[in-house]
Amino acid sequence: MEAALGIFFICCMSVLSPFSGVDEGELRGCPPSPNCVSSQSMKYNFIHKVDPISYTTSREIAFQRIAKYFHESENIYISEEKEGEYIRIIFFTKVFRFPDRVEVYFPESKNEVQVRSQSIIGLWDVFANRRRVNRFREILNEEGS
C-alpha cells in the first residue's frame, strides 16, 4: 500500500512539477520522477542531467535553426516564443498524442542552449526526452543550414 501511494505521488508531481519558464537566468528544475531531462538540473542529479547544447554559429543563427525545426515539424504546438531568447513547445507523440513540454533557452553570456524536456503524463519516458535533446544537438551542429 505504501509503495502504491509513493508511486501515485511521484506521478502527480510530474503533472504538478515546477512550472515552465526562465527564472533568474535558468530554466526551472525537473520533478523527482524520471520523465524529465534538463541541462540546468542539479549538477549531481544523474537522472535528469543532460549537457547544454553548444553551437559555433551566432546566437541568432542558432535560434533560427531550432525555431525553423519547430515551425516545420508536425505534432508540435509552440506556446511561447521570445525572439532570439526562448521557446516553449508542446510535442505530441504520434500514436497516442501524449504531450511533452519542451523549453529551449539561449542565454546571452555563452554559446550554448539550455534545454528542458518533460513528459507531462506518465512516470517514465523510455528515454524519449534524451533522444529529443540529442536531435536538437544535431540540428544546431548541421553545417550550412
Side-chain angles (χ1 to χ4, degrees), residues 22-91:
V22 179
D23 184 33
E24 296 183 16
E26 290 191 4
L27 295 172
R28 303 205 186 232
C30 286
S33 56
N35 63 350
C36 178
V37 296
S38 174
S39 59
Q40 291 185 319
S41 184
M42 294 179 289
K43 292 182 181 181
Y44 301 105
N45 186 337
F46 66 93
I47 294 172
H48 301 122
K49 183 71 176 153
V50 293
D51 291 330
I53 303 170
S54 298
Y55 55 88
T56 56
T57 63
S58 70
R59 181 177 180 223
E60 293 78 23
I61 291 173
F63 184 87
Q64 289 171 1
R65 282 183 186 173
I66 202 78
K68 179 182 177 197
Y69 170 74
F70 294 146
H71 285 282
E72 293 177 352
S73 296
E74 295 178 355
N75 301 324
I76 291 179
Y77 169 72
I78 299 173
S79 59
E80 183 179 355
E81 183 172 352
K82 293 180 183 173
E83 187 62 39
E85 182 181 345
Y86 174 80
I87 305 175
R88 180 179 12 186
I89 309 103
I90 303 292
F91 274 81

Side-chain angles (χ1 to χ4, degrees), residues 77-142:
Y77 169 72
I78 299 173
S79 59
E80 183 179 355
E81 183 172 352
K82 293 180 183 173
E83 187 62 39
E85 182 181 345
Y86 174 80
I87 305 175
R88 180 179 12 186
I89 309 103
I90 303 292
F91 274 81
F92 294 96
T93 60
K94 290 186 179 184
V95 178
F96 295 110
R97 308 279 299 156
F98 292 131
D100 294 345
R101 182 185 307 131
V102 177
E103 300 173 90
V104 291
Y105 171 55
F106 290 77
E108 290 184 42
S109 58
K110 297 180 181 177
N111 279 2
E112 63 185 23
V113 179
Q114 300 297 336
V115 63
R116 181 180 187 274
S117 181
Q118 176 187 1
S119 300
I120 297 173
I121 299 175
L123 180 61
W124 192 46
D125 65 352
V126 195
F127 302 112
N129 291 307
R130 289 188 185 280
R131 287 192 307 270
R132 182 176 295 126
V133 170
N134 286 334
R135 177 65 186 130
F136 299 163
R137 201 176 304 280
E138 291 170 2
I139 291 165
L140 289 174
N141 290 321
E142 288 176 359

